[in-house]
mmCIF file with all atom_site columns, all heavy atoms in Angstrom:
data_model
loop_
_atom_site.group_PDB
_atom_site.id
_atom_site.type_symbol
_atom_site.label_atom_id
_atom_site.label_alt_id
_atom_site.label_comp_id
_atom_site.label_asym_id
_atom_site.label_entity_id
_atom_site.label_seq_id
_atom_site.pdbx_PDB_ins_code
_atom_site.Cartn_x
_atom_site.Cartn_y
_atom_site.Cartn_z
_atom_site.occupancy
_atom_site.B_iso_or_equiv
_atom_site.pdbx_formal_charge
_atom_site.auth_seq_id
_atom_site.auth_comp_id
_atom_site.auth_asym_id
_atom_site.auth_atom_id
_atom_site.pdbx_PDB_model_num
ATOM 1   N N   . ALA A 1 52 ? 90.523 51.892 60.676 1.00 93.00 ? 1419 ALA A N   1
ATOM 2   C CA  . ALA A 1 52 ? 90.301 51.551 59.276 1.00 93.00 ? 1419 ALA A CA  1
ATOM 3   C C   . ALA A 1 52 ? 89.282 50.428 59.110 1.00 93.00 ? 1419 ALA A C   1
ATOM 4   O O   . ALA A 1 52 ? 88.768 50.212 58.006 1.00 93.00 ? 1419 ALA A O   1
ATOM 5   C CB  . ALA A 1 52 ? 91.627 51.127 58.622 1.00 93.00 ? 1419 ALA A CB  1
ATOM 6   N N   . ASN A 1 53 ? 88.974 49.733 60.192 1.00 92.00 ? 1420 ASN A N   1
ATOM 7   C CA  . ASN A 1 53 ? 88.010 48.626 60.129 1.00 92.00 ? 1420 ASN A CA  1
ATOM 8   C C   . ASN A 1 53 ? 86.573 49.087 60.381 1.00 92.00 ? 1420 ASN A C   1
ATOM 9   O O   . ASN A 1 53 ? 85.676 48.245 60.475 1.00 92.00 ? 1420 ASN A O   1
ATOM 10  C CB  . ASN A 1 53 ? 88.377 47.554 61.166 1.00 92.00 ? 1420 ASN A CB  1
ATOM 11  C CG  . ASN A 1 53 ? 89.748 46.960 60.925 1.00 92.00 ? 1420 ASN A CG  1
ATOM 12  O OD1 . ASN A 1 53 ? 90.163 46.796 59.779 1.00 92.00 ? 1420 ASN A OD1 1
ATOM 13  N ND2 . ASN A 1 53 ? 90.452 46.628 62.003 1.00 92.00 ? 1420 ASN A ND2 1
ATOM 14  N N   . PHE A 1 54 ? 86.364 50.406 60.482 1.00 91.00 ? 1421 PHE A N   1
ATOM 15  C CA  . PHE A 1 54 ? 85.033 50.930 60.814 1.00 91.00 ? 1421 PHE A CA  1
ATOM 16  C C   . PHE A 1 54 ? 84.677 52.089 59.890 1.00 91.00 ? 1421 PHE A C   1
ATOM 17  O O   . PHE A 1 54 ? 85.552 52.833 59.436 1.00 91.00 ? 1421 PHE A O   1
ATOM 18  C CB  . PHE A 1 54 ? 84.999 51.404 62.273 1.00 91.00 ? 1421 PHE A CB  1
ATOM 19  C CG  . PHE A 1 54 ? 85.258 50.300 63.276 1.00 91.00 ? 1421 PHE A CG  1
ATOM 20  C CD1 . PHE A 1 54 ? 86.550 49.983 63.652 1.00 91.00 ? 1421 PHE A CD1 1
ATOM 21  C CD2 . PHE A 1 54 ? 84.205 49.584 63.808 1.00 91.00 ? 1421 PHE A CD2 1
ATOM 22  C CE1 . PHE A 1 54 ? 86.794 48.968 64.572 1.00 91.00 ? 1421 PHE A CE1 1
ATOM 23  C CE2 . PHE A 1 54 ? 84.432 48.574 64.728 1.00 91.00 ? 1421 PHE A CE2 1
ATOM 24  C CZ  . PHE A 1 54 ? 85.733 48.260 65.098 1.00 91.00 ? 1421 PHE A CZ  1
ATOM 25  N N   . ASP A 1 55 ? 83.369 52.222 59.651 1.00 90.00 ? 1422 ASP A N   1
ATOM 26  C CA  . ASP A 1 55 ? 82.878 53.363 58.884 1.00 90.00 ? 1422 ASP A CA  1
ATOM 27  C C   . ASP A 1 55 ? 82.875 54.622 59.738 1.00 90.00 ? 1422 ASP A C   1
ATOM 28  O O   . ASP A 1 55 ? 82.884 55.739 59.202 1.00 90.00 ? 1422 ASP A O   1
ATOM 29  C CB  . ASP A 1 55 ? 81.454 53.085 58.372 1.00 90.00 ? 1422 ASP A CB  1
ATOM 30  C CG  . ASP A 1 55 ? 81.434 51.954 57.344 1.00 90.00 ? 1422 ASP A CG  1
ATOM 31  O OD1 . ASP A 1 55 ? 82.446 51.785 56.628 1.00 90.00 ? 1422 ASP A OD1 1
ATOM 32  O OD2 . ASP A 1 55 ? 80.422 51.217 57.282 1.00 90.00 ? 1422 ASP A OD2 1
ATOM 33  N N   . ASP A 1 56 ? 82.820 54.422 61.071 1.00 89.00 ? 1423 ASP A N   1
ATOM 34  C CA  . ASP A 1 56 ? 82.869 55.556 61.997 1.00 89.00 ? 1423 ASP A CA  1
ATOM 35  C C   . ASP A 1 56 ? 84.044 55.333 62.964 1.00 89.00 ? 1423 ASP A C   1
ATOM 36  O O   . ASP A 1 56 ? 83.843 54.832 64.078 1.00 89.00 ? 1423 ASP A O   1
ATOM 37  C CB  . ASP A 1 56 ? 81.549 55.686 62.773 1.00 89.00 ? 1423 ASP A CB  1
ATOM 38  C CG  . ASP A 1 56 ? 81.074 54.363 63.339 1.00 89.00 ? 1423 ASP A CG  1
ATOM 39  O OD1 . ASP A 1 56 ? 81.700 53.315 63.018 1.00 89.00 ? 1423 ASP A OD1 1
ATOM 40  O OD2 . ASP A 1 56 ? 80.137 54.355 64.155 1.00 89.00 ? 1423 ASP A OD2 1
ATOM 41  N N   . PRO A 1 57 ? 85.271 55.655 62.562 1.00 89.00 ? 1424 PRO A N   1
ATOM 42  C CA  . PRO A 1 57 ? 86.463 55.336 63.355 1.00 89.00 ? 1424 PRO A CA  1
ATOM 43  C C   . PRO A 1 57 ? 86.453 55.889 64.771 1.00 89.00 ? 1424 PRO A C   1
ATOM 44  O O   . PRO A 1 57 ? 87.123 55.340 65.659 1.00 89.00 ? 1424 PRO A O   1
ATOM 45  C CB  . PRO A 1 57 ? 87.602 55.970 62.545 1.00 89.00 ? 1424 PRO A CB  1
ATOM 46  C CG  . PRO A 1 57 ? 87.074 56.147 61.171 1.00 89.00 ? 1424 PRO A CG  1
ATOM 47  C CD  . PRO A 1 57 ? 85.596 56.388 61.333 1.00 89.00 ? 1424 PRO A CD  1
ATOM 48  N N   . GLU A 1 58 ? 85.704 56.962 65.015 1.00 88.00 ? 1425 GLU A N   1
ATOM 49  C CA  . GLU A 1 58 ? 85.748 57.577 66.343 1.00 88.00 ? 1425 GLU A CA  1
ATOM 50  C C   . GLU A 1 58 ? 84.946 56.773 67.363 1.00 88.00 ? 1425 GLU A C   1
ATOM 51  O O   . GLU A 1 58 ? 85.410 56.526 68.477 1.00 88.00 ? 1425 GLU A O   1
ATOM 52  C CB  . GLU A 1 58 ? 85.208 59.014 66.259 1.00 88.00 ? 1425 GLU A CB  1
ATOM 53  C CG  . GLU A 1 58 ? 86.126 59.929 65.449 1.00 88.00 ? 1425 GLU A CG  1
ATOM 54  C CD  . GLU A 1 58 ? 85.612 61.356 65.413 1.00 88.00 ? 1425 GLU A CD  1
ATOM 55  O OE1 . GLU A 1 58 ? 84.561 61.628 66.027 1.00 88.00 ? 1425 GLU A OE1 1
ATOM 56  O OE2 . GLU A 1 58 ? 86.272 62.185 64.772 1.00 88.00 ? 1425 GLU A OE2 1
ATOM 57  N N   . VAL A 1 59 ? 83.740 56.366 67.005 1.00 85.00 ? 1426 VAL A N   1
ATOM 58  C CA  . VAL A 1 59 ? 82.900 55.624 67.969 1.00 85.00 ? 1426 VAL A CA  1
ATOM 59  C C   . VAL A 1 59 ? 82.974 54.119 67.754 1.00 85.00 ? 1426 VAL A C   1
ATOM 60  O O   . VAL A 1 59 ? 82.653 53.329 68.647 1.00 85.00 ? 1426 VAL A O   1
ATOM 61  C CB  . VAL A 1 59 ? 81.434 56.105 67.882 1.00 85.00 ? 1426 VAL A CB  1
ATOM 62  C CG1 . VAL A 1 59 ? 81.324 57.539 68.371 1.00 85.00 ? 1426 VAL A CG1 1
ATOM 63  C CG2 . VAL A 1 59 ? 80.892 55.975 66.466 1.00 85.00 ? 1426 VAL A CG2 1
ATOM 64  N N   . LYS A 1 60 ? 83.361 53.692 66.540 1.00 87.00 ? 1427 LYS A N   1
ATOM 65  C CA  . LYS A 1 60 ? 83.536 52.272 66.209 1.00 87.00 ? 1427 LYS A CA  1
ATOM 66  C C   . LYS A 1 60 ? 82.263 51.448 66.434 1.00 87.00 ? 1427 LYS A C   1
ATOM 67  O O   . LYS A 1 60 ? 82.273 50.410 67.088 1.00 87.00 ? 1427 LYS A O   1
ATOM 68  C CB  . LYS A 1 60 ? 84.690 51.665 67.021 1.00 87.00 ? 1427 LYS A CB  1
ATOM 69  C CG  . LYS A 1 60 ? 86.027 52.332 66.758 1.00 87.00 ? 1427 LYS A CG  1
ATOM 70  C CD  . LYS A 1 60 ? 87.144 51.723 67.600 1.00 87.00 ? 1427 LYS A CD  1
ATOM 71  C CE  . LYS A 1 60 ? 88.455 52.446 67.324 1.00 87.00 ? 1427 LYS A CE  1
ATOM 72  N NZ  . LYS A 1 60 ? 89.561 51.893 68.152 1.00 87.00 ? 1427 LYS A NZ  1
ATOM 73  N N   . HIS A 1 61 ? 81.153 51.963 65.905 1.00 82.00 ? 1428 HIS A N   1
ATOM 74  C CA  . HIS A 1 61 ? 79.873 51.259 66.026 1.00 82.00 ? 1428 HIS A CA  1
ATOM 75  C C   . HIS A 1 61 ? 79.478 50.541 64.743 1.00 82.00 ? 1428 HIS A C   1
ATOM 76  O O   . HIS A 1 61 ? 78.593 49.684 64.755 1.00 82.00 ? 1428 HIS A O   1
ATOM 77  C CB  . HIS A 1 61 ? 78.766 52.238 66.423 1.00 82.00 ? 1428 HIS A CB  1
ATOM 78  C CG  . HIS A 1 61 ? 78.793 52.585 67.886 1.00 82.00 ? 1428 HIS A CG  1
ATOM 79  N ND1 . HIS A 1 61 ? 78.010 53.583 68.431 1.00 82.00 ? 1428 HIS A ND1 1
ATOM 80  C CD2 . HIS A 1 61 ? 79.504 52.061 68.909 1.00 82.00 ? 1428 HIS A CD2 1
ATOM 81  C CE1 . HIS A 1 61 ? 78.245 53.673 69.727 1.00 82.00 ? 1428 HIS A CE1 1
ATOM 82  N NE2 . HIS A 1 61 ? 79.148 52.759 70.044 1.00 82.00 ? 1428 HIS A NE2 1
ATOM 83  N N   . HIS A 1 62 ? 80.091 50.921 63.618 1.00 85.00 ? 1429 HIS A N   1
ATOM 84  C CA  . HIS A 1 62 ? 79.708 50.346 62.329 1.00 85.00 ? 1429 HIS A CA  1
ATOM 85  C C   . HIS A 1 62 ? 80.928 49.736 61.644 1.00 85.00 ? 1429 HIS A C   1
ATOM 86  O O   . HIS A 1 62 ? 81.636 50.426 60.890 1.00 85.00 ? 1429 HIS A O   1
ATOM 87  C CB  . HIS A 1 62 ? 79.079 51.424 61.432 1.00 85.00 ? 1429 HIS A CB  1
ATOM 88  C CG  . HIS A 1 62 ? 77.849 52.041 62.032 1.00 85.00 ? 1429 HIS A CG  1
ATOM 89  N ND1 . HIS A 1 62 ? 76.644 51.373 62.122 1.00 85.00 ? 1429 HIS A ND1 1
ATOM 90  C CD2 . HIS A 1 62 ? 77.654 53.264 62.603 1.00 85.00 ? 1429 HIS A CD2 1
ATOM 91  C CE1 . HIS A 1 62 ? 75.750 52.155 62.702 1.00 85.00 ? 1429 HIS A CE1 1
ATOM 92  N NE2 . HIS A 1 62 ? 76.334 53.318 63.009 1.00 85.00 ? 1429 HIS A NE2 1
ATOM 93  N N   . PRO A 1 63 ? 81.192 48.457 61.916 1.00 88.00 ? 1430 PRO A N   1
ATOM 94  C CA  . PRO A 1 63 ? 82.355 47.803 61.304 1.00 88.00 ? 1430 PRO A CA  1
ATOM 95  C C   . PRO A 1 63 ? 82.197 47.680 59.798 1.00 88.00 ? 1430 PRO A C   1
ATOM 96  O O   . PRO A 1 63 ? 81.093 47.473 59.293 1.00 88.00 ? 1430 PRO A O   1
ATOM 97  C CB  . PRO A 1 63 ? 82.384 46.424 61.975 1.00 88.00 ? 1430 PRO A CB  1
ATOM 98  C CG  . PRO A 1 63 ? 81.001 46.198 62.476 1.00 88.00 ? 1430 PRO A CG  1
ATOM 99  C CD  . PRO A 1 63 ? 80.452 47.544 62.813 1.00 88.00 ? 1430 PRO A CD  1
ATOM 100 N N   . SER A 1 64 ? 83.323 47.824 59.092 1.00 89.00 ? 1431 SER A N   1
ATOM 101 C CA  . SER A 1 64 ? 83.294 47.747 57.632 1.00 89.00 ? 1431 SER A CA  1
ATOM 102 C C   . SER A 1 64 ? 83.874 46.435 57.106 1.00 89.00 ? 1431 SER A C   1
ATOM 103 O O   . SER A 1 64 ? 83.788 46.173 55.902 1.00 89.00 ? 1431 SER A O   1
ATOM 104 C CB  . SER A 1 64 ? 84.086 48.922 57.031 1.00 89.00 ? 1431 SER A CB  1
ATOM 105 O OG  . SER A 1 64 ? 85.434 48.891 57.486 1.00 89.00 ? 1431 SER A OG  1
ATOM 106 N N   . ASN A 1 65 ? 84.448 45.629 57.966 1.00 91.00 ? 1432 ASN A N   1
ATOM 107 C CA  . ASN A 1 65 ? 85.004 44.337 57.540 1.00 91.00 ? 1432 ASN A CA  1
ATOM 108 C C   . ASN A 1 65 ? 84.944 43.350 58.705 1.00 91.00 ? 1432 ASN A C   1
ATOM 109 O O   . ASN A 1 65 ? 84.448 43.667 59.793 1.00 91.00 ? 1432 ASN A O   1
ATOM 110 C CB  . ASN A 1 65 ? 86.435 44.487 57.019 1.00 91.00 ? 1432 ASN A CB  1
ATOM 111 C CG  . ASN A 1 65 ? 87.356 45.158 58.040 1.00 91.00 ? 1432 ASN A CG  1
ATOM 112 O OD1 . ASN A 1 65 ? 87.202 44.968 59.250 1.00 91.00 ? 1432 ASN A OD1 1
ATOM 113 N ND2 . ASN A 1 65 ? 88.296 45.947 57.550 1.00 91.00 ? 1432 ASN A ND2 1
ATOM 114 N N   . MET A 1 66 ? 85.468 42.143 58.471 1.00 90.00 ? 1433 MET A N   1
ATOM 115 C CA  . MET A 1 66 ? 85.382 41.080 59.467 1.00 90.00 ? 1433 MET A CA  1
ATOM 116 C C   . MET A 1 66 ? 86.161 41.411 60.737 1.00 90.00 ? 1433 MET A C   1
ATOM 117 O O   . MET A 1 66 ? 85.732 41.073 61.847 1.00 90.00 ? 1433 MET A O   1
ATOM 118 C CB  . MET A 1 66 ? 85.901 39.759 58.874 1.00 90.00 ? 1433 MET A CB  1
ATOM 119 C CG  . MET A 1 66 ? 85.772 38.564 59.811 1.00 90.00 ? 1433 MET A CG  1
ATOM 120 S SD  . MET A 1 66 ? 84.063 38.258 60.365 1.00 90.00 ? 1433 MET A SD  1
ATOM 121 C CE  . MET A 1 66 ? 83.307 37.745 58.842 1.00 90.00 ? 1433 MET A CE  1
ATOM 122 N N   . LEU A 1 67 ? 87.302 42.084 60.621 1.00 92.00 ? 1434 LEU A N   1
ATOM 123 C CA  . LEU A 1 67 ? 88.097 42.443 61.801 1.00 92.00 ? 1434 LEU A CA  1
ATOM 124 C C   . LEU A 1 67 ? 87.294 43.364 62.721 1.00 92.00 ? 1434 LEU A C   1
ATOM 125 O O   . LEU A 1 67 ? 87.301 43.203 63.949 1.00 92.00 ? 1434 LEU A O   1
ATOM 126 C CB  . LEU A 1 67 ? 89.403 43.122 61.364 1.00 92.00 ? 1434 LEU A CB  1
ATOM 127 C CG  . LEU A 1 67 ? 90.387 42.258 60.568 1.00 92.00 ? 1434 LEU A CG  1
ATOM 128 C CD1 . LEU A 1 67 ? 91.627 43.065 60.186 1.00 92.00 ? 1434 LEU A CD1 1
ATOM 129 C CD2 . LEU A 1 67 ? 90.792 41.024 61.364 1.00 92.00 ? 1434 LEU A CD2 1
ATOM 130 N N   . GLY A 1 68 ? 86.616 44.328 62.111 1.00 91.00 ? 1435 GLY A N   1
ATOM 131 C CA  . GLY A 1 68 ? 85.790 45.233 62.906 1.00 91.00 ? 1435 GLY A CA  1
ATOM 132 C C   . GLY A 1 68 ? 84.623 44.513 63.555 1.00 91.00 ? 1435 GLY A C   1
ATOM 133 O O   . GLY A 1 68 ? 84.237 44.823 64.686 1.00 91.00 ? 1435 GLY A O   1
ATOM 134 N N   . ILE A 1 69 ? 84.053 43.533 62.837 1.00 89.00 ? 1436 ILE A N   1
ATOM 135 C CA  . ILE A 1 69 ? 82.942 42.759 63.394 1.00 89.00 ? 1436 ILE A CA  1
ATOM 136 C C   . ILE A 1 69 ? 83.391 41.985 64.623 1.00 89.00 ? 1436 ILE A C   1
ATOM 137 O O   . ILE A 1 69 ? 82.705 41.967 65.655 1.00 89.00 ? 1436 ILE A O   1
ATOM 138 C CB  . ILE A 1 69 ? 82.371 41.803 62.324 1.00 89.00 ? 1436 ILE A CB  1
ATOM 139 C CG1 . ILE A 1 69 ? 81.678 42.605 61.218 1.00 89.00 ? 1436 ILE A CG1 1
ATOM 140 C CG2 . ILE A 1 69 ? 81.395 40.809 62.948 1.00 89.00 ? 1436 ILE A CG2 1
ATOM 141 C CD1 . ILE A 1 69 ? 81.244 41.777 60.023 1.00 89.00 ? 1436 ILE A CD1 1
ATOM 142 N N   . VAL A 1 70 ? 84.565 41.353 64.560 1.00 92.00 ? 1437 VAL A N   1
ATOM 143 C CA  . VAL A 1 70 ? 85.085 40.598 65.708 1.00 92.00 ? 1437 VAL A CA  1
ATOM 144 C C   . VAL A 1 70 ? 85.368 41.536 66.874 1.00 92.00 ? 1437 VAL A C   1
ATOM 145 O O   . VAL A 1 70 ? 85.094 41.206 68.034 1.00 92.00 ? 1437 VAL A O   1
ATOM 146 C CB  . VAL A 1 70 ? 86.357 39.813 65.315 1.00 92.00 ? 1437 VAL A CB  1
ATOM 147 C CG1 . VAL A 1 70 ? 86.961 39.123 66.534 1.00 92.00 ? 1437 VAL A CG1 1
ATOM 148 C CG2 . VAL A 1 70 ? 86.032 38.782 64.237 1.00 92.00 ? 1437 VAL A CG2 1
ATOM 149 N N   . TYR A 1 71 ? 85.908 42.736 66.580 1.00 93.00 ? 1438 TYR A N   1
ATOM 150 C CA  . TYR A 1 71 ? 86.171 43.719 67.637 1.00 93.00 ? 1438 TYR A CA  1
ATOM 151 C C   . TYR A 1 71 ? 84.884 44.077 68.372 1.00 93.00 ? 1438 TYR A C   1
ATOM 152 O O   . TYR A 1 71 ? 84.890 44.305 69.591 1.00 93.00 ? 1438 TYR A O   1
ATOM 153 C CB  . TYR A 1 71 ? 86.796 44.976 67.030 1.00 93.00 ? 1438 TYR A CB  1
ATOM 154 C CG  . TYR A 1 71 ? 86.984 46.099 68.017 1.00 93.00 ? 1438 TYR A CG  1
ATOM 155 C CD1 . TYR A 1 71 ? 88.109 46.147 68.834 1.00 93.00 ? 1438 TYR A CD1 1
ATOM 156 C CD2 . TYR A 1 71 ? 86.032 47.111 68.142 1.00 93.00 ? 1438 TYR A CD2 1
ATOM 157 C CE1 . TYR A 1 71 ? 88.275 47.175 69.752 1.00 93.00 ? 1438 TYR A CE1 1
ATOM 158 C CE2 . TYR A 1 71 ? 86.191 48.145 69.050 1.00 93.00 ? 1438 TYR A CE2 1
ATOM 159 C CZ  . TYR A 1 71 ? 87.324 48.168 69.853 1.00 93.00 ? 1438 TYR A CZ  1
ATOM 160 O OH  . TYR A 1 71 ? 87.483 49.191 70.765 1.00 93.00 ? 1438 TYR A OH  1
ATOM 161 N N   . SER A 1 72 ? 83.777 44.114 67.630 1.00 89.00 ? 1439 SER A N   1
ATOM 162 C CA  . SER A 1 72 ? 82.496 44.493 68.223 1.00 89.00 ? 1439 SER A CA  1
ATOM 163 C C   . SER A 1 72 ? 81.976 43.461 69.222 1.00 89.00 ? 1439 SER A C   1
ATOM 164 O O   . SER A 1 72 ? 80.947 43.686 69.867 1.00 89.00 ? 1439 SER A O   1
ATOM 165 C CB  . SER A 1 72 ? 81.454 44.702 67.107 1.00 89.00 ? 1439 SER A CB  1
ATOM 166 O OG  . SER A 1 72 ? 81.890 45.685 66.198 1.00 89.00 ? 1439 SER A OG  1
ATOM 167 N N   . GLY A 1 73 ? 82.654 42.329 69.354 1.00 90.00 ? 1440 GLY A N   1
ATOM 168 C CA  . GLY A 1 73 ? 82.225 41.316 70.322 1.00 90.00 ? 1440 GLY A CA  1
ATOM 169 C C   . GLY A 1 73 ? 82.379 41.741 71.765 1.00 90.00 ? 1440 GLY A C   1
ATOM 170 O O   . GLY A 1 73 ? 81.880 41.058 72.666 1.00 90.00 ? 1440 GLY A O   1
ATOM 171 N N   . GLY A 1 74 ? 83.100 42.841 72.017 1.00 89.00 ? 1441 GLY A N   1
ATOM 172 C CA  . GLY A 1 74 ? 83.196 43.364 73.377 1.00 89.00 ? 1441 GLY A CA  1
ATOM 173 C C   . GLY A 1 74 ? 84.447 42.904 74.114 1.00 89.00 ? 1441 GLY A C   1
ATOM 174 O O   . GLY A 1 74 ? 85.370 42.318 73.559 1.00 89.00 ? 1441 GLY A O   1
ATOM 175 N N   . VAL A 1 75 ? 84.440 43.156 75.421 1.00 91.00 ? 1442 VAL A N   1
ATOM 176 C CA  . VAL A 1 75 ? 85.645 42.968 76.247 1.00 91.00 ? 1442 VAL A CA  1
ATOM 177 C C   . VAL A 1 75 ? 85.985 41.496 76.477 1.00 91.00 ? 1442 VAL A C   1
ATOM 178 O O   . VAL A 1 75 ? 87.087 41.184 76.942 1.00 91.00 ? 1442 VAL A O   1
ATOM 179 C CB  . VAL A 1 75 ? 85.485 43.674 77.611 1.00 91.00 ? 1442 VAL A CB  1
ATOM 180 C CG1 . VAL A 1 75 ? 85.435 45.185 77.430 1.00 91.00 ? 1442 VAL A CG1 1
ATOM 181 C CG2 . VAL A 1 75 ? 84.237 43.180 78.331 1.00 91.00 ? 1442 VAL A CG2 1
ATOM 182 N N   . ILE A 1 76 ? 85.065 40.591 76.170 1.00 94.00 ? 1443 ILE A N   1
ATOM 183 C CA  . ILE A 1 76 ? 85.355 39.161 76.338 1.00 94.00 ? 1443 ILE A CA  1
ATOM 184 C C   . ILE A 1 76 ? 86.221 38.651 75.180 1.00 94.00 ? 1443 ILE A C   1
ATOM 185 O O   . ILE A 1 76 ? 86.936 37.658 75.313 1.00 94.00 ? 1443 ILE A O   1
ATOM 186 C CB  . ILE A 1 76 ? 84.042 38.352 76.422 1.00 94.00 ? 1443 ILE A CB  1
ATOM 187 C CG1 . ILE A 1 76 ? 83.194 38.830 77.603 1.00 94.00 ? 1443 ILE A CG1 1
ATOM 188 C CG2 . ILE A 1 76 ? 84.318 36.866 76.591 1.00 94.00 ? 1443 ILE A CG2 1
ATOM 189 C CD1 . ILE A 1 76 ? 83.850 38.642 78.956 1.00 94.00 ? 1443 ILE A CD1 1
ATOM 190 N N   . VAL A 1 77 ? 86.201 39.369 74.053 1.00 95.00 ? 1444 VAL A N   1
ATOM 191 C CA  . VAL A 1 77 ? 86.945 38.932 72.871 1.00 95.00 ? 1444 VAL A CA  1
ATOM 192 C C   . VAL A 1 77 ? 88.444 38.784 73.132 1.00 95.00 ? 1444 VAL A C   1
ATOM 193 O O   . VAL A 1 77 ? 89.037 37.768 72.746 1.00 95.00 ? 1444 VAL A O   1
ATOM 194 C CB  . VAL A 1 77 ? 86.676 39.884 71.680 1.00 95.00 ? 1444 VAL A CB  1
ATOM 195 C CG1 . VAL A 1 77 ? 87.628 39.582 70.525 1.00 95.00 ? 1444 VAL A CG1 1
ATOM 196 C CG2 . VAL A 1 77 ? 85.244 39.742 71.221 1.00 95.00 ? 1444 VAL A CG2 1
ATOM 197 N N   . PRO A 1 78 ? 89.128 39.765 73.787 1.00 96.00 ? 1445 PRO A N   1
ATOM 198 C CA  . PRO A 1 78 ? 90.566 39.574 74.022 1.00 96.00 ? 1445 PRO A CA  1
ATOM 199 C C   . PRO A 1 78 ? 90.882 38.353 74.890 1.00 96.00 ? 1445 PRO A C   1
ATOM 200 O O   . PRO A 1 78 ? 91.928 37.720 74.729 1.00 96.00 ? 1445 PRO A O   1
ATOM 201 C CB  . PRO A 1 78 ? 91.003 40.870 74.710 1.00 96.00 ? 1445 PRO A CB  1
ATOM 202 C CG  . PRO A 1 78 ? 89.758 41.515 75.179 1.00 96.00 ? 1445 PRO A CG  1
ATOM 203 C CD  . PRO A 1 78 ? 88.694 41.100 74.232 1.00 96.00 ? 1445 PRO A CD  1
ATOM 204 N N   . ILE A 1 79 ? 89.963 38.010 75.803 1.00 96.00 ? 1446 ILE A N   1
ATOM 205 C CA  . ILE A 1 79 ? 90.176 36.821 76.634 1.00 96.00 ? 1446 ILE A CA  1
ATOM 206 C C   . ILE A 1 79 ? 90.081 35.564 75.776 1.00 96.00 ? 1446 ILE A C   1
ATOM 207 O O   . ILE A 1 79 ? 90.886 34.634 75.903 1.00 96.00 ? 1446 ILE A O   1
ATOM 208 C CB  . ILE A 1 79 ? 89.140 36.774 77.775 1.00 96.00 ? 1446 ILE A CB  1
ATOM 209 C CG1 . ILE A 1 79 ? 89.279 38.010 78.662 1.00 96.00 ? 1446 ILE A CG1 1
ATOM 210 C CG2 . ILE A 1 79 ? 89.311 35.501 78.607 1.00 96.00 ? 1446 ILE A CG2 1
ATOM 211 C CD1 . ILE A 1 79 ? 88.235 38.110 79.758 1.00 96.00 ? 1446 ILE A CD1 1
ATOM 212 N N   . LEU A 1 80 ? 89.089 35.548 74.866 1.00 96.00 ? 1447 LEU A N   1
ATOM 213 C CA  . LEU A 1 80 ? 88.942 34.392 73.980 1.00 96.00 ? 1447 LEU A CA  1
ATOM 214 C C   . LEU A 1 80 ? 90.096 34.299 72.991 1.00 96.00 ? 1447 LEU A C   1
ATOM 215 O O   . LEU A 1 80 ? 90.554 33.195 72.649 1.00 96.00 ? 1447 LEU A O   1
ATOM 216 C CB  . LEU A 1 80 ? 87.611 34.484 73.228 1.00 96.00 ? 1447 LEU A CB  1
ATOM 217 C CG  . LEU A 1 80 ? 86.361 34.275 74.101 1.00 96.00 ? 1447 LEU A CG  1
ATOM 218 C CD1 . LEU A 1 80 ? 85.096 34.595 73.311 1.00 96.00 ? 1447 LEU A CD1 1
ATOM 219 C CD2 . LEU A 1 80 ? 86.312 32.850 74.627 1.00 96.00 ? 1447 LEU A CD2 1
#
Side-chain angles (χ1 to χ4, degrees):
N1420 299 325
F1421 298 87
D1422 294 330
D1423 47 353
E1425 293 182 1
V1426 293
K1427 299 179 181 179
H1428 282 171
H1429 300 287
S1431 59
N1432 55 34
M1433 184 57 68
L1434 295 179
I1436 292 172
V1437 175
Y1438 174 84
S1439 302
V1442 293
I1443 301 298
V1444 170
I1446 299 176
L1447 290 171

